[in-house]
């Protein structure tokens, strides 16, 4: 799934990841401000050091071995449910730290150490609970809907004239799905790009089709009453799908599981698929961000013409 990256490519990736669009010195200064003075020299060295290749990161061999173990055995509950290991999120972590190195490689540990140092964490390159929860916080912060709900607001649905019905070829197994019109346009551009850049998607014509889009508040309320399982991590009382800006996309399924099964075995299978990895690397080009607990769930946060999008954007930048 991962490949050894060149020094030049890794430097560019890390600059994008650590800088986050800010001037190069901004992140380093912010990180240093939160770190005791006696560690500033160490942190500075980490942030300024050349990025090694995946297997040639001298000094990170032990951290790599720890990561190889914790990716399967670490106990944590990132979304309120106990999980074992972090393999499901390894692609998300690799993207966050700006590396294409394998999670058990010294190069991955070195990139992780730089990310940790930039945020005032250990800087040891070991993927521990504190590091991954910090990343999870950033992933969630990229979803304006999360901040909106935290403020106690449940957004109103779009007006019916602002919705577009996707074609039978765009809905999973021909399912009828509606989304906001601007979301439909962005989705179509994204799928066209995916098919052009990843020709083997054609091997499974259902990949990247939509199995859930806009769901009216009345529909969700009825389903909550019927199933009695709303308010948890799997089904929300105020679902983002009511905005018409959320898409559940087919990214594969493990044998014996449905495309929307939240079982760990299914989510791991999906997270290792080429469709999901392409989305992680490219969906933001089209305005989509992922809810990391669900590999299939993508939310459009681009500036649209509907009434909700500007408000969600303001919430995201508070």
């Amino acid at each position: 799934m991962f490949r050894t990256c060149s020094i030049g490519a890794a430097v560019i990736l890390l600059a994008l990841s650590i800088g986050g669009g800010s001037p190069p010195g901004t992140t380093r200064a912010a990180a240093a401000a939160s770190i005791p003075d006696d560690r500033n020299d160490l942190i500075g060295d980490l942030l300024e050091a050349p990025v090694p290749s995946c297997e040639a990161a001298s000094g990170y061999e032990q951290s790599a071995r720890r990561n190889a173990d914790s990716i399967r055995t670490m106990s944590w509950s990132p979304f309120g449910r106990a999980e074992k290991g972090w393999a499901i999120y390894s692609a998300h972590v690799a993207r966050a730290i700006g590396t294409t190195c394998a999670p058990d490689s010294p190069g991955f540990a070195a990139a992780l150490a730089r990310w940790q140092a930039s945020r005032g964490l250990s800087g040891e390159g070991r993927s521990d609970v504190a590091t991954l929860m910090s990343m999870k916080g950033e992933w969630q912060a990229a979803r304006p809907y999360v901040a909106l709900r935290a403020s106690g607001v449940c957004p109103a649905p779009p007006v019916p004239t602002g919705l577009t019905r996707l074609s039978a070829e765009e809905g999973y197994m021909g399912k009828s799905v509606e989304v906001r019109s601007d979301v439909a346009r962005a989705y179509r551009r994204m799928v066209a790009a995916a098919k052009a850049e990843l020709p083997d998607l054609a091997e499974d014509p259902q990949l990247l089709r939509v199995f859930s889009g806009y769901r009216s508040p009345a529909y969700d309320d009825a389903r909550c009453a019927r199933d009695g399982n709303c308010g948890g991590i799997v089904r929300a009382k105020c679902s983002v799908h009511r905005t018409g800006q959320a898409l559940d996309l087919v990214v594969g399924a493990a044998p014996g599981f449905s495309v929307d099964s939240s079982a760990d075995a299914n989510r791991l299978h999906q997270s290792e698929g080429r469709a999901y990895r392409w989305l992680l690397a490219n969906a933001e080009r089209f305005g989509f961000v992922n809810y990391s607990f669900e590999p299939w769930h993508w939310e459009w946060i681009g500036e649209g013409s509907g009434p909700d999008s500007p408000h969600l954007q303001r919430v995201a930048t508070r």
Side-chain angles (χ1 to χ4, degrees), residues 113-290:
R114 294 171 69 97
W115 187 93
Q116 290 169 326
S118 73
R119 285 146 176 85
L121 298 172
S122 68
E124 296 177 352
R126 298 176 184 175
S127 189
D128 52 25
V129 173
T131 295
L132 292 179
M133 290 302 289
S134 180
M135 283 191 184
K136 178 231 174 176
E138 294 190 8
W139 299 337
Q140 289 289 81
R143 302 171 57 210
Y145 182 77
V146 172
L148 194 65
R149 291 298 295 127
S151 68
V153 176
C154 185
V159 296
T161 55
L163 294 170
T164 290
R165 189 173 300 279
L166 300 180
S167 70
E169 291 73 27
E170 294 169 319
Y172 177 52
M173 305 296 289
K175 181 179 180 180
S176 178
V177 178
E178 286 185 308
V179 295
R180 269 181 33 169
S181 300
D182 41 11
V183 177
R185 291 190 292 270
Y187 163 73
R188 288 165 176 161
R189 290 194 300 271
M190 182 171 70
V191 171
K195 290 180 176 179
E197 298 171 19
L198 208 60
D200 58 340
L201 284 179
E203 296 175 6
D204 183 352
Q206 298 297 328
L207 285 174
L208 301 187
R209 291 193 180 187
V210 184
F211 63 85
S212 187
Y214 169 68
R215 298 199 300 255
S216 72
Y219 174 89
D220 268 348
D221 288 346
R223 191 165 67 159
C224 284
R226 182 191 70 217
D227 298 342
N229 65 345
C230 288
I233 60 172
V234 174
R235 187 166 296 168
K237 288 183 178 179
C238 175
S239 170
V240 66
H241 282 277
R242 69 165 53 210
T243 67
Q245 293 176 237
L247 299 177
D248 288 341
L249 304 178
V250 177
V251 290
F257 292 92
S258 64
V259 294
D260 64 345
S261 170
S262 62
D264 290 351
N266 188 57
R267 296 190 300 127
L268 177 60
H269 176 88
Q270 293 175 325
S271 72
E272 294 175 340
R274 285 173 61 76
Y276 177 68
R277 302 243 168 166
W278 186 91
L279 287 170
L280 267 187
N282 297 280
E284 283 189 10
R285 290 161 45 192
F286 306 93
F288 291 94
V289 296
N290 179 227

Side-chain angles (χ1 to χ4, degrees), residues 95-116:
R95 184 177 184 274
I97 65 178
T99 186
T100 55
C101 295
D104 60 354
S105 69
F108 184 96
L112 181 58
R114 294 171 69 97
W115 187 93
Q116 290 169 326

Side-chain angles (χ1 to χ4, degrees), residues 34-87:
S34 64
I35 300 168
D37 290 341
D38 59 357
R39 294 188 63 217
N40 278 341
D41 290 342
L42 170 62
I43 299 306
D45 290 344
L46 280 170
L47 293 174
E48 299 294 346
V51 179
S53 65
C54 294
E55 301 303 327
S58 179
Y60 289 96
E61 293 83 2
Q62 184 176 2
S63 292
R65 288 191 292 271
R66 293 286 187 90
N67 291 338
D69 179 64
S70 69
I71 197 172
R72 302 185 307 272
T73 64
M74 189 182 80
S75 296
W76 66 317
S77 301
F79 291 95
R81 187 176 85 185
E83 298 190 36
K84 186 69 70 175
W86 49 277

